[in-house]
Amino acid sequence: MKITGADVLISSPGRNFVTLRVRTDEGLHGLGDATLNGREKAVAAYLSEHVVPCLLGRDASRIEDIWQYLYRGAYWRRGPVTMAAISAVDTALWDIKGKALGRPVYDLLGGASRDGVLVYGHASGRSMDEAVNEVGRYIDLGYRAVRAQSAIEGLAGTYGVGKGKDNYEPAERGAVPAETVFATRPYMDQVPRLFERIRDEHGWETELLHDVHHRLAPIEAARLGKDLESCRLFWLEDAVACDNPEGFRLIRQHTTTPLAVGEVFNTVHDAKLLIDEQLIDYLRMPVCHGGGITHLRKVAAIADMGFVRTGFHGATDLSPVAMAAALHFDLWVPNFGIQEYMRHSEETDAVFPHAYTFEDGYLHPGDAPGLGVDYDEALAAKYPYEPAFLPVARLADGTMFNW
Ligand code: CS2
Ligand code: MG
């Protein structure tokens, strides 16, 4: 089966997405998500200019060889743009292989290791009261695990808090990033109070998660992890900026709160020290940014040796193609932990019809051949791309900080 073409499809149904569609001489096509929030055009150009010409005429069934060709042949290895492009090609080729064999991708990986994929939803509030109530709403929706984020008293806007009932959309349309202000001390004082309130109000049955979102120093993260131990979190995510994995040694010395990291990782090399030294408990690099299925199943095997489980990123800026690929992987992978599931907008779901379903706190990818997701190009044309950026954050004194 030869690759006859590949289309880089940019649309904005609710938010910007870049989708790669690989076509073959047998009439089958496969999809990959090439969306990198706020850097969409960089990945689109990398694909169009430097990858697609190299795919034409290749045997679509040679997934590993094409991965090696795109990775080793790039010379300039790794990084979010390169690996998002490689991940999209890889995902599309697994989609094609499943369609050619008439089997869902999870079956090609080794079959189901569980009956459903445990997911967590995103509860947030513009106040602590609203956040606590939102956790209750997600429990009523059937979620068994809920991430909770709230605005920080005294700060106008903060990471993870939506503007209303809709899901939190971090990227803001505009020519340059919006600027927000962060303050460490009120954040660290408030988060333990938020989770104490959630436990008081909603009990101990539901798994609770929190995303620090790269904003603390190691000693601060150690303190927060310690302060949260009585609330028994499922995980504390991105406790520190992970340019410095060694920082996790300090956090680990001080707290038993489980740690998750890796949504900004893109190859095993970003995670190796953390896995080898068992400095984390969950690895978040998703199929669409972490090298695709081909690379990620190697990473998962290495993680398994270090008792690290998967907990893939699944925000709305990862498309339903990425979610479908994640769910096939999640259903199979032996050291599965949990899957993030921020529901997409209705426009997004309409452009990306998919087979995955939610029931009783679990997702299932469905048994359609391949990934079980498609792309409605005619409908997508109604939603043209608009530049959008992730915000930047400064401290109150103007110091540039981590958003
Ligand atoms: C977050 C994301 O879902 C998460 O855990 O870290 O909301 C992240 O901020 C966005 O995906 C960035 O585009
Ligand atoms: Mg996160």
Side-chain angles (χ1 to χ4, degrees), residues 42-71:
V43 183
Y46 190 100
L47 282 166
S48 304
E49 300 298 322
H50 309 300
V51 171
V52 169
C54 304
L55 295 177
L56 305 182
R58 287 189 183 278
D59 180 344
S61 68
R62 294 192 168 202
I63 299 178
E64 183 70 47
D65 180 63
I66 290 173
W67 193 97
Q68 296 295 335
Y69 176 91
L70 295 178
Y71 182 80

Side-chain angles (χ1 to χ4, degrees), residues 15 36-38 120 122 147 159-160 168-171 211 213-214 237-238 263 284 313-318 340 342 390 403:
R15 64 165 338 277
L36 191 63
N37 201 358
Y120 71 89
H122 274 217
R147 185 186 94 161
Y159 163 73
Y168 171 58
E169 169 49 66
D211 192 345
H213 215 259
H214 324 279
E237 176 185 340
D238 282 336
E263 67 181 54
R284 289 191 36 75
H313 190 196
T316 48
D317 44 286
L318 284 63
E340 179 176 4
M342 270 183 84
L390 287 172
W403 171 74

Side-chain angles (χ1 to χ4, degrees), residues 23-238:
R23 290 179 276 109
T24 67
D25 60 1
E26 294 187 15
L28 294 176
H29 70 270
L31 296 180
D33 182 17
T35 308
L36 191 63
N37 201 358
R39 296 294 182 273
E40 291 86 0
K41 288 293 186 76
V43 183
Y46 190 100
L47 282 166
S48 304
E49 300 298 322
H50 309 300
V51 171
V52 169
C54 304
L55 295 177
L56 305 182
R58 287 189 183 278
D59 180 344
S61 68
R62 294 192 168 202
I63 299 178
E64 183 70 47
D65 180 63
I66 290 173
W67 193 97
Q68 296 295 335
Y69 176 91
L70 295 178
Y71 182 80
R72 297 171 187 273
Y75 186 76
W76 310 107
R77 296 181 181 189
R78 301 164 65 180
V81 173
T82 299
M83 295 315 295
I86 293 176
S87 303
V89 173
D90 187 76
T91 306
L93 296 178
W94 278 99
D95 190 17
I96 290 168
K97 191 177 280 285
K99 288 172 178 173
L101 297 172
R103 298 302 300 155
V105 167
Y106 74 80
D107 208 32
L108 309 185
L109 295 172
S113 303
R114 53 198 58 81
D115 297 326
V117 172
L118 176 68
V119 297
Y120 71 89
H122 274 217
S124 70
R126 288 158 293 182
S127 67
M128 275 222 273
D129 288 343
E130 191 174 272
V132 173
N133 293 336
E134 272 296 280
V135 170
R137 188 169 73 87
Y138 272 84
I139 293 170
D140 293 344
L141 285 170
Y143 283 82
R144 296 163 181 263
V146 182
R147 185 186 94 161
Q149 310 285 140
S150 85
I152 307 302
E153 286 148 13
L155 292 184
T158 188
Y159 163 73
V161 179
K163 293 186 173 57
K165 278 280 174 272
D166 296 338
N167 254 333
Y168 171 58
E169 169 49 66
E172 298 194 24
R173 297 187 191 282
V176 292
E179 298 222 352
T180 63
V181 175
F182 180 71
T184 304
R185 184 60 195 269
Y187 168 76
M188 288 183 64
D189 291 346
Q190 183 175 307
V191 169
R193 287 190 284 123
L194 170 66
F195 284 90
E196 283 155 14
R197 286 216 27 212
I198 294 170
R199 282 299 185 208
D200 289 348
E201 192 104 3
H202 300 298
W204 295 85
E205 197 74 25
T206 303
E207 296 291 5
L208 297 178
L209 304 90
H210 181 66
D211 192 345
V212 180
H213 215 259
H214 324 279
R215 294 176 290 180
L216 295 181
I219 196 64
E220 294 164 345
R223 152 70 66 199
L224 183 60
K226 232 172 143 76
D227 289 349
L228 284 166
E229 281 177 6
S230 61
C231 299
R232 303 291 295 273
L233 263 57
F234 184 86
W235 81 34
L236 192 63
E237 176 185 340
D238 282 336

